Amino acid sequence: MSAVPGVEPPQSHPPKKAESPRRFSLRTRVMLLAASCVGGAVALVSLVAYLTVRGNLYQQFDDSLIERANAAVTSVPVQAQFREVPAALLVSSDIDIGLLQAGAGLTWPERGEPPPVGDAERAVAVGTAESSLRTDTATDMRVVALPSGPGQALVLAQSLAPTKRTLAELSLVLFLFGGAGIVVAAAAGTAVARAGLRPVERLTSATERVARTMDLRPIPVTGDDELSRLTHSFNTMLAAVADSQERQRQLVADAGHELRTPLTSLRTNLELLLATSREGARPLAERDRVEMEADIRGQLDELTQLIGDLVELARESEPRIENERVDLAEVVERALDRARRRAGETEFDVMLEPWVLAGDPAVLERAVLNLLDNAVKFSPEGSTVQVRLRALGDGTAVIEVSDAGPGIADEDLPKVFERFYRSSEARTLPGSGLGLAIVKQATERHGGAVYAGRSEAGGALMTIRLPGVPG
């Protein structure tokens, strides 16, 4: 479609998103719920009370009217001169009374008012009905008729206005007290919601504070109810997050410190090689070049091992896959096969008992291999590393790896499983200082523990203790 000159085409605007309805706060909902429950209960109780009182009042009204009619029929002789009898002598003045005769109509006292008469009262007068009791809607009166002799009936009528006025006053009182109860319930619900939701507000403020500032301080806890338990759980989560954060910070700091030395040495060697390869530069002796290249390869190997160990340690917070049945003896055998290929002249004396547990075989194999490599590294050439897998009889088994090396100093025993810790004897040997930390992490992940001590030959004795059952 072509555009009309001078007229801008109408611009299409994206449709506005419909605003989501505003929801009430939890405090408002608690208040409304309390007011609604109390209002419903008050309304139900008021309705039942009103209907009960109404029924009783009308029943008492009818019983009193019938009793008066019976008294009038049995105690006052009804005769032709009925109009001349004072009404006060028959019944009280709040009742209209009359004598209905089948052929002569209704007669009533001169000082009184005629009661309403209808078909029901005539039926009593002619004898087709024993009695009648009805409400005359035109005059709002309750009318009773009883036979008083052949062909006549005594008719009494009493106004319902006082009874209805009493019921109206009762309904007003119930309404006012019910409304007051609802207001009090709303106020009480607000107070309860404010007091009950205060720990939730603290939790909300704490989560917002954590998200905004990463401040992981615990929340003060008061009481011992469900909300206090929720606060305790949240504090436990904060402590776990803080611990994980601290471990990550320490890992990054230690990794940066450990990486600095090989990277600096590697950079120095590469810069020297590049400088000697430039045109006009003094050439490097072949022997020095070979040593420098070997040094660079060693540094690259050290960096590769360090990065691999760091990646393994960083997996500590990852969700674990479902454990599988692990034959620990097979795990040790596989680790031994890998260790023998790089053990040189070091021999292994192995005694394994069958043992089964649930876990990750790759993680356990890495832990055992680290112990074997550590034993080989500190063992003299031609010595023997002893490997034992035996049950302790208490639902656990131990893997013991002992060597004939210099052993571990007493002051180093509590620290050998810490990250990047290296004793004075080990600082001149290759390694990242993370191998035993990986052993500890893998063992604790499987519900076990690790220990360091001295072997009978004076070397190091490393022990992994794991739960399980004999295979």
Side-chain angles (χ1 to χ4, degrees):
M1 182 176 65
S2 60
V4 179
V7 179
E8 295 184 358
Q11 297 180 355
S12 59
H13 298 280
K16 295 183 178 180
K17 294 182 179 179
E19 296 183 358
S20 59
R22 186 177 181 181
R23 296 184 176 180
F24 293 111
S25 64
L26 181 57
R27 180 184 301 175
T28 304
R29 280 181 282 174
V30 171
M31 183 268 292
L32 292 177
L33 178 61
S36 300
C37 292
V38 173
V42 168
L44 181 60
V45 171
S46 299
L47 179 60
V48 172
Y50 178 80
L51 293 177
T52 302
V53 172
R54 179 176 179 273
N56 289 337
L57 284 178
Y58 280 126
Q59 185 63 44
Q60 292 175 6
F61 186 94
D62 290 344
D63 293 344
S64 176
L65 185 60
I66 294 173
E67 183 179 354
R68 291 181 178 185
N70 286 323
V73 170
T74 58
S75 62
V76 179
V78 181
Q79 52 190 357
Q81 292 84 4
F82 181 78
R83 292 180 60 87
E84 299 176 359
V85 178
L89 298 178
L90 298 176
V91 290
S92 59
S93 60
D94 62 339
I95 292 181
D96 297 336
I97 186 170
L99 183 63
L100 179 63
Q101 297 181 353
L106 180 68
T107 58
W108 64 92
E110 293 180 354
R111 297 181 183 180
E113 294 292 334
V117 175
D119 294 338
E121 290 75 26
R122 295 187 185 94
V124 175
V126 299
T128 58
E130 295 181 357
S131 64
S132 70
L133 178 64
R134 66 181 182 89
T135 300
D136 186 70
T137 57
T139 59
D140 199 20
M141 300 183 75
R142 193 72 167 160
V143 183
V144 61
L146 295 176
S148 58
Q152 63 182 13
L154 186 65
V155 181
L156 281 76
Q158 186 176 6
S159 175
L160 291 171
T163 303
K164 290 187 175 181
R165 186 163 51 250
T166 301
L167 291 174
E169 294 173 355
L170 175 63
S171 62
L172 179 61
V173 170
L174 291 176
F175 177 78
L176 292 178
F177 275 93
I182 294 174
V183 172
V184 172
T190 302
V192 171
R194 183 179 291 110
L197 296 178
R198 190 170 292 118
V200 178
E201 292 177 352
R202 288 201 300 266
L203 284 177
T204 303
S205 301
T207 54
E208 293 174 350
R209 172 173 57 82
V210 170
R212 185 176 63 256
T213 65
M214 293 303 295
D215 184 3
L216 302 177
R217 289 177 298 176
I219 306 169
V221 182
T222 57
D224 56 355
D225 54 6
E226 289 79 2
L227 291 176
S228 299
R229 291 173 55 195
L230 177 62
T231 307
H232 276 296
S233 301
F234 192 79
N235 284 340
T236 303
M237 183 188 69
L238 287 180
V241 173
D243 183 64
S244 176
Q245 190 180 68
E246 180 61 28
R247 289 199 306 269
Q248 291 178 0
R249 186 183 297 111
Q250 187 64 36
L251 179 62
V252 171
D254 292 342
H257 175 74
E258 293 295 325
L259 287 170
R260 188 177 295 113
T261 300
L263 285 175
T264 301
S265 177
L266 186 61
R267 179 175 181 177
T268 301
N269 290 332
L270 288 176
E271 288 178 348
L272 182 58
L273 285 176
L274 292 175
T276 57
S277 63
R278 293 193 183 97
E279 185 177 355
R282 182 179 177 181
L284 192 65
E286 184 64 22
R287 179 179 177 182
D288 293 337
R289 178 180 294 277
V290 171
E291 291 179 354
M292 191 173 296
E293 290 177 352
D295 192 20
I296 290 174
R297 283 193 293 271
Q299 290 162 356
L300 288 175
D301 292 340
E302 185 177 351
L303 282 174
T304 301
Q305 180 183 356
L306 179 58
I307 292 172
D309 291 341
L310 288 173
V311 170
E312 182 66 25
L313 285 173
R315 292 176 181 171
E316 181 178 0
S317 59
E318 292 182 0
R320 307 308 304 167
I321 61 174
E322 185 176 355
N323 291 331
E324 59 183 87
R325 184 180 183 275
V326 178
D327 187 333
L328 196 55
E330 293 183 359
V331 169
V332 176
E333 287 287 359
R334 290 197 299 268
L336 282 167
D337 290 341
R338 296 173 61 182
R340 287 189 180 101
R341 290 195 291 267
R342 48 199 184 196
E345 298 180 1
T346 304
E347 300 292 333
F348 291 94
D349 179 13
V350 182
M351 292 181 61
L352 305 179
E353 296 179 7
W355 191 258
V356 175
L357 72 156
D360 187 336
V363 172
L364 291 173
E365 183 179 341
R366 175 67 182 272
V368 176
L369 180 60
N370 283 357
L371 290 186
L372 297 175
D373 288 342
N374 191 73
V376 170
K377 182 169 63 175
F378 289 97
S379 295
E381 290 291 335
S383 62
T384 301
V385 173
Q386 291 186 349
V387 182
R388 300 288 185 268
L389 169 58
R390 58 188 179 87
L392 297 181
D394 59 354
T396 62
V398 292
I399 302 174
E400 297 175 333
V401 179
S402 59
D403 59 58
I408 304 174
D410 293 337
E411 62 271 14
D412 292 329
L413 284 176
K415 305 175 182 177
V416 293
F417 294 104
E418 295 180 2
R419 295 174 180 176
F420 299 106
Y421 181 79
R422 304 178 73 183
S423 63
S424 56
E425 293 82 2
R427 288 170 187 167
T428 58
L429 299 175
S432 63
L434 294 175
L436 295 181
I438 293 175
V439 173
K440 179 181 178 182
Q441 174 181 302
T443 305
E444 292 179 348
R445 186 179 299 170
H446 289 79
V450 291
Y451 310 96
R454 289 185 176 276
S455 66
E456 295 179 356
L461 172 62
M462 298 295 181
T463 304
I464 296 177
R465 185 172 183 174
L466 294 168
V469 295

